[in-house]
Amino acid sequence: MIKGFIEKIMEMKDNLRRDNLLPHEKTIRSGNIQTVITEQYRLLRSRLSSLNGSHGNKVIAVTSTQKGEGKSITSVNLAIVMAEDTKKKVLLIDGDMRKPSIHAFFNCKSEYGLVDLLTNKIDIESILVPSGVNNLTILPAGGPVESPSDIIANPRFKEGIERLKKRFDYIIMDSPPIIPFADMNILGDIVDGILLVVKAETTPKERVVDALKSLNKENIIGVVLNDSKKRLTKIYY
Ligand SMILES: Nc1ncnc2c1ncn2[C@@H]1O[C@H](COP(=O)(O)OP(=O)(O)O)[C@@H](O)[C@H]1O
Ligand SMILES: [Mg+2]
């Protein structure tokens, strides 16, 4: 349940928005991102770990009401600081099978991945990709599929996540947007908590409210207000 509003936790600078930057040049490891931004991600990480409570928050899905609000960039940079700061084993899953992008942030291929969790042919070991960051492993989305919603709704998806939970201390899942699919309703019950990214200047408030209505609010552990023009990012929970 969203209870209130707490202070600014991230500041995004214009250099991150330069169109000529490739995805892998936008991670906080690339050298293109100012220290202040890295620090804000660190703060987000520590806020999340202090939110432990009843959820445990071992598996966190990062979503937004619609595409293009910063789910992927938030997932990537959060996963990096989690791996670096906690020294625990972190897995970053690309769960946005309609618009996969995690592999591009790490400059690797997405030939096999999450979708292959549902085929017996491929062993989990062989679809995990090292990220180049200590303690951080990637599970790409894998090849294109006709119906990503069916994959998420398949009981084997949940089983796959349970297996991965045994091998990793934390799992961050870059997830589909809440609208227009029902994926997040299902995913919400599989993960321990949902982090909602809201782009303050573009996402109409009503849309956020509607999107939140469609989710079980107990699952939402925090909201990142991604407000790059005002160079302000806040979290409320
Ligand atoms: N706070 C921000 N500052 C600068 N660029 C941002 C910010 N948030 C998102 N972007 C950029 O906007 C685009 C969409 O972000 P992305 O993370 O891919 O969104 P989503 O995964 O929700 O579709 C990307 O090019 C990303 O680099
Ligand atoms: Mg994305």
Side-chain angles (χ1 to χ4, degrees):
M1 185 75 184
I2 293 174
K3 293 173 193 137
F5 199 77
I6 59 172
E7 76 270 34
K8 176 175 95 172
I9 58 153
M10 261 197 265
E11 240 180 75
M12 295 295 192
K13 301 286 186 192
D14 290 338
N15 70 340
L16 192 57
R17 297 197 67 80
R18 281 206 322 255
D19 288 339
N20 57 350
L21 287 183
L22 295 166
H24 71 272
E25 294 170 326
K26 290 183 176 182
T27 75
I28 55 175
R29 297 266 302 194
S30 67
N32 293 317
I33 310 304
Q34 296 176 13
T35 316
V36 64
I37 295 177
T38 306
E39 286 310 310
Q40 301 298 341
Y41 280 113
R42 296 223 138 89
L43 206 47
L44 172 62
R45 185 207 60 77
S46 68
R47 284 272 154 74
L48 287 177
S49 50
S50 67
L51 285 180
N52 249 325
S54 56
H55 288 295
N57 296 342
K58 185 174 169 144
V59 187
I60 298 174
V62 181
T63 189
S64 59
T65 62
Q66 54 199 333
K67 65 178 180 182
E69 295 191 67
K71 292 181 292 297
S72 299
I73 201 165
T74 303
S75 310
V76 165
N77 287 324
L78 178 62
I80 292 173
V81 292
M82 267 182 138
E84 284 179 342
D85 293 5
T86 66
K87 308 267 186 291
K88 299 229 166 135
K89 282 189 279 173
V90 180
L91 176 68
L92 174 60
I93 302 179
D94 196 340
D96 195 358
M97 289 171 271
R98 292 182 191 83
K99 201 175 164 255
S101 68
I102 296 299
H103 61 287
F105 283 98
F106 293 91
N107 228 356
C108 61
K109 284 188 185 153
S110 180
E111 202 175 337
Y112 298 105
L114 191 57
V115 300
D116 301 295
L117 267 186
L118 291 178
T119 71
N120 277 324
K121 290 174 211 141
I122 290 181
D123 167 54
I124 280 188
E125 299 294 329
S126 62
I127 55 177
L128 297 175
V129 181
S131 68
V133 176
N134 279 347
N135 305 313
L136 178 60
T137 304
I138 300 164
L139 176 53
V145 276
E146 261 173 37
S147 177
S149 298
D150 289 347
I151 292 190
I152 291 171
N154 189 316
R156 291 193 57 190
F157 183 86
K158 190 175 179 175
E159 284 160 28
I161 300 296
E162 292 300 325
R163 279 165 70 198
L164 291 166
K165 256 169 126 167
K166 295 198 182 96
R167 301 183 34 129
F168 292 93
D169 298 304
Y170 295 108
I171 299 177
I172 306 282
M173 196 188 311
D174 184 17
S175 304
I178 299 168
I179 298 168
F181 309 101
D183 300 347
M184 282 315 295
N185 301 9
I186 298 164
L187 257 187
D189 291 333
I190 295 176
V191 301
D192 299 317
I194 295 175
L195 187 64
L196 183 73
V197 177
V198 175
K199 200 160 187 182
E201 297 141 42
T202 51
T203 318
K205 209 157 89 190
E206 306 73 48
R207 205 177 167 102
V208 179
V209 172
D210 282 351
L212 290 180
K213 272 189 207 151
S214 75
L215 294 182
N216 177 357
K217 291 186 189 57
E218 296 299 314
N219 292 335
I220 299 169
I221 51 171
V223 179
V224 172
L225 191 61
N226 191 7
D227 186 354
S228 45
K229 235 187 224 156
K230 288 186 197 147
R231 299 181 177 186
L232 199 69
T233 301
K234 291 174 179 168
I235 185 168
Y236 44 108
Y237 66 97

